[in-house]
Amino acid sequence: MASPNPLLQLPTLADDLGRVESQLRLSVQAEDPFLTEVASHLILAGGKRVRPAFAVTSAATRELAMGPASADIISGAVSVELVHLGSLYHDDVMDDATTRRTVESVNARWGNLKAILAGDYLLARASEIAASLGTEVAGLLAATIARLCEGQVLELQHTFDVARTEEAYLASIDGKTASLLATACRIGGIVADLPRTVIEQLTHFGHSYGMAFQIVDDILDVVATDEQLGKPSGHDLVEGVYTLPVIRVLASGGPDADRLGELLGRPIDGAELDEARAIVRSSGQVDAALAAARDHAHQAAAALADVADTEAGTALVAASDHLLETVRVAAGH
Ligand code: GRG
């Protein structure tokens, strides 16, 4: 598989991410030890911490060289990761997922009711921390939670829909993924009191990165093996979530589109799933979707032109370059 995200390897970021880790654990200490245990489960399981890293690194574009983040910047980073966690708790209930971050999912371990409540608890803690950073951050985080819900609803409205349009797909990933990555960068910029023009550029970066990130994730689900992903591949097709390369094959006309249309639109597994994936893989649409992801990643890098000479700006651009490397490896390009 591809190399790790270079941003997350940055030695200057390690101390700050360590502080994020400690505050994350503290933030879910409830009076009830059982609630603490359930709410800590996916924090302790790991995760890449891309969103906190984006918040801290965005804030650091203020100076040429990165220095330690302020306590408020760490809090901003924690609030964003808590929203991400809350969304994962709820998403796993909706998907009836059995694993997350390589461990048993919260719903599998404790049941749906407790997973939903613990997810709510994480969102409440995120809101409390955001409120301590001022009304702009609190309002932004609340609006972003709404965007996550909107994106997810848009996905649900089109499950098993072979007529799902590219526009509907893009609107969904904008809400469910890009909005939180954009907010991570924006909160870093707001809390560090950066000039408004830079805050807008950082937000643009996070949004474009998020679009590229989700398109890449969706391509990998079709083209990569179980071993490469570390989880069962083809999950989206099984769940009826038709993503960019699939939508494009379905819309392309001709025998492949017809055959794929016959296979999809209903639950699928075994030989039919293999056939559907083979049709998508052998079409030119994986490359076309890859080009769309590349476009977003280039837009992400271009958005940072004004801070490209800072250590933090360079690190953010390297993160978007790395995304494309991930998919090149899996797609065998
Ligand atoms: C109540 C906040 C809230 C949301 C409800 C369930 C839902 C609506 C939205 C789900 C959104 C969702 C799960 C989007 C996918 C986001 C995504 C790209 C997850 C994977 O992110 P990584 O790779 O994961 O950064 P780690 O585990 O490394 O943090």
Side-chain angles (χ1 to χ4, degrees):
M1 200 72 195
S3 54
N5 184 338
L7 177 68
L8 303 174
Q9 308 294 307
L10 212 60
T12 30
L13 202 63
D15 275 359
D16 287 340
L17 288 181
R19 290 160 68 205
V20 166
E21 228 37 53
S22 310
Q23 198 185 324
L24 268 175
R25 288 167 197 214
L26 273 179
S27 69
V28 295
Q29 293 294 319
E31 268 187 40
D32 178 349
F34 175 69
L35 180 54
T36 306
E37 185 188 358
V38 182
S40 306
H41 183 67
L42 285 190
I43 295 176
L44 301 178
K48 298 182 289 297
R49 308 289 190 252
V50 171
R51 294 155 191 80
F54 272 15
V56 170
T57 311
S58 292
T61 59
R62 167 185 269 285
E63 310 285 349
L64 276 180
M66 290 180 75
S70 70
D72 278 356
I73 291 165
I74 299 296
S75 290
V78 168
S79 70
V80 171
E81 182 68 11
L82 287 171
V83 168
H84 174 52
L85 280 159
S87 78
L88 298 181
Y89 275 48
H90 287 186
D91 192 53
D92 286 345
V93 170
M94 291 179 196
D95 276 2
D96 207 10
T98 54
T99 57
R100 171 69 75 175
R101 291 182 166 173
T102 74
V103 300
E104 201 177 5
S105 66
V106 176
N107 48 299
R109 175 108 171 237
W110 289 286
N112 285 347
L113 299 186
K114 290 175 181 114
I116 290 169
L117 275 172
D120 291 342
Y121 182 74
L122 293 164
L123 295 175
R125 285 297 194 211
S127 309
E128 196 180 342
I129 293 169
S132 76
L133 300 172
T135 50
E136 184 178 5
V137 172
L140 173 60
L141 205 69
T144 308
I145 293 172
R147 297 283 300 120
L148 284 166
C149 294
E150 286 166 353
Q152 189 74 355
V153 165
L154 263 174
E155 184 173 295
L156 290 177
Q157 281 170 331
H158 290 284
T159 48
F160 295 107
D161 176 7
V162 290
R164 187 185 196 194
T165 62
E166 201 165 315
E167 290 67 36
Y169 164 79
L170 293 173
S172 171
I173 68 167
D174 189 319
K176 75 169 198 170
T177 302
S179 67
L180 189 56
L181 285 153
T183 290
C185 296
R186 192 171 183 85
I187 286 182
I190 294 170
V191 178
D193 202 19
L194 299 184
R196 282 286 140 179
T197 49
V198 177
I199 293 175
E200 294 309 330
Q201 290 161 3
L202 290 165
T203 309
H204 188 173
F205 166 83
H207 181 267
S208 296
Y209 178 95
M211 295 297 287
F213 181 89
Q214 190 60 59
I215 293 172
V216 165
D217 209 48
D218 293 341
I219 295 171
L220 288 176
D221 190 68
V222 179
V223 303
T225 61
D226 293 4
E227 294 69 41
Q228 284 172 322
L229 288 187
K231 61 182 180 186
S233 55
H235 178 258
D236 291 335
L237 286 172
V238 173
E239 295 292 317
V241 177
Y242 304 146
T243 58
L244 194 56
V246 176
I247 289 170
R248 288 194 171 177
V249 174
L250 285 168
S252 64
D256 278 353
D258 291 346
R259 179 63 187 144
L260 191 61
E262 279 166 22
L263 290 166
L264 302 183
R266 58 189 164 84
I268 185 173
D269 59 12
E272 286 191 329
L273 175 60
D274 292 343
E275 187 186 349
R277 293 180 73 195
I279 291 172
V280 181
R281 269 200 224 107
S282 64
S283 75
Q285 300 305 335
V286 168
D287 277 349
L290 200 52
R294 195 175 294 122
D295 238 36
H296 285 289
H298 286 152
Q299 283 178 40
L304 293 185
D306 286 1
V307 292
D309 56 341
T310 64
E311 186 185 0
T314 308
L316 290 171
V317 171
S320 64
D321 290 345
H322 169 263
L323 252 187
L324 298 173
E325 183 54 30
T326 316
V327 83
R328 261 197 297 274
V329 170
H333 288 65

